[in-house]
Amino acid sequence: MKTAPDLLRAVGSLFYPPTCEGCGTSVGTDEYLCEECRSRAPRIVAPFCTKCCEPFSGAITGPFACSNCADQTLYFEAAVAGYRARGIVRRLIHEFKYRNRFYLRHVIGDWIGAVLEDPRMNPHGFDLIVPVPLHPAKQRERGFNQAAVLAQTLSKRTLLPVGKALERVRYTKTQTAFDRAERMQNLRHAFRLRPRMDVQGLRVLLVDDVLTTGSTLSECARVLKKAGASSVYAATAARA
Ligand SMILES: [Zn+2]
Ligand SMILES: [Zn+2]
C-alpha cells in the first residue's frame, strides 16, 4: 500500500536522490538507510535473558533469568526483540510513532523481521499473530497502531494470519514514570478479548514495537491465556 508520505518520497526522488533516514547521505531508490546506519543499529546478540531478551554483558553459557524477570511474573513464554532501543533505533521508532513518518515502517519492519532468525520464532510454532492494541482514542490521534503495522510485516514474511484478538478498554497513563507495582496496577483491566474472537487452543505470536519491562506484553499474554490460548510468545522490533 502506498500512502501519501510514500508517494511524496517517491515523487521527490524524481527530483532529488533519496537520502538515508539516519544521516542524510544519498541511497538507492528503494533504500531508507545507508550501509553504515544499517550496521549502526544495535542488534541483540547472545548472551541474553531467555525470557525477556535482556542482554547480558559478560561470559555466560546456558539459560539464566535476568533481574527484570526474577521479580515479576511474566505470562508470555518468551519475548524476542531484534535490536536495542538505542541510537538510531530509538530515534527512528520515535519518529515513526510521534512524527507521522509512516514510511519508516519499512525500516522498523526490517528490524522486527530480524526476530525470525531466532529458532523460537519458527513460523510453524504459531497459528496467529496478534498485535498489542492501542486505545481507540490514541489510535485516532496517531492515525495508526504501530503494533498492527509490524504484525502485517511479520505476516507477510511468515504467511501467518493476523487477528486483532485484543482490545484496549482503558486509556492508561504512560508507563514510564511508574515503578513495577504501579505499572501492573495501571495495566489492570486495560485489555480484553474482542467480542466473538476465539483463541482457544491457539499458539499466539504477540507483536509490539518496543519491549520496556515486558509488563504490557505480559498483561496481553495473561488475557490471551485466560481465553484459552495454548502458548504466547512475543516479538518486538526493539528492547529498551
Ligand atoms: Zn546513513
Ligand atoms: Zn529477563
Side-chain angles (χ1 to χ4, degrees):
M1 182 186 65
K2 290 271 182 193
T3 59
D6 281 334
L7 281 173
L8 274 180
R9 195 179 192 273
V11 171
S13 69
L14 297 174
F15 304 100
Y16 310 100
T19 54
C20 170
E21 297 298 331
C23 68
T25 60
S26 51
V27 290
T29 320
D30 281 324
E31 286 173 333
Y32 293 85
L33 288 181
C34 73
E35 198 58 48
E36 194 173 335
C37 285
R38 247 201 303 274
S39 72
R40 227 183 264 149
R43 183 85 171 88
I44 293 178
V45 289
F48 49 74
C49 172
T50 45
K51 182 87 182 176
C52 79
C53 239
E54 164 88 343
F56 184 85
S57 54
I60 192 160
T61 47
F64 75 99
C66 75
S67 60
N68 177 53
C69 290
D71 56 351
Q72 67 178 332
T73 308
L74 292 171
Y75 288 91
F76 47 76
E77 267 54 55
V80 178
Y83 288 80
R84 299 241 61 183
R86 303 259 166 89
I88 189 169
V89 174
R90 187 189 160 95
R91 180 159 65 83
L92 294 191
I93 289 178
H94 189 272
E95 291 182 5
F96 173 54
K97 279 160 72 174
Y98 304 111
R99 299 259 169 88
N100 202 23
R101 295 174 69 188
F102 189 55
Y103 59 86
L104 286 174
R105 71 189 182 284
H106 300 294
V107 176
I108 296 149
D110 280 343
W111 288 337
I112 199 167
V115 302
L116 298 173
E117 291 164 19
D118 188 297
R120 294 170 294 176
M121 295 283 111
N122 186 332
H124 297 297
F126 302 103
D127 304 299
L128 187 68
I129 299 178
V130 174
V132 170
L134 278 184
H135 189 275
K138 205 173 241 179
Q139 183 153 343
R140 266 197 304 279
E141 182 188 313
R142 185 170 302 167
F144 63 93
N145 172 6
Q146 73 281 358
V149 172
L150 296 177
Q152 286 301 342
T153 303
L154 284 184
S155 172
K156 260 187 222 148
R157 296 183 185 202
T158 59
L159 305 178
L160 289 163
V162 175
K164 293 180 180 171
L166 296 172
E167 61 186 350
R168 194 154 190 151
V169 285
R170 242 161 39 75
Y171 194 100
T172 50
K173 297 188 199 106
T174 175
Q175 295 274 81
T176 40
F178 292 158
D179 67 21
R180 194 180 303 281
E182 288 168 330
R183 258 198 309 270
M184 293 319 285
Q185 190 55 38
N186 186 40
L187 282 171
R188 230 106 190 107
H189 311 299
F191 302 98
R192 73 172 179 214
L193 200 71
R194 288 175 96 96
R196 290 184 299 282
M197 281 302 299
D198 184 7
V199 295
Q200 200 74 239
L202 297 186
R203 300 162 304 168
V204 171
L205 180 57
L206 187 62
V207 172
D208 206 356
D209 56 337
V210 180
L211 177 149
T212 306
T213 63
S215 23
T216 299
L217 289 164
S218 177
E219 182 57 16
C220 288
R222 192 184 66 77
V223 172
L224 288 164
K225 283 188 166 171
K226 205 170 156 228
S230 65
S231 64
V232 179
Y233 281 81
T236 64
R239 193 205 191 292

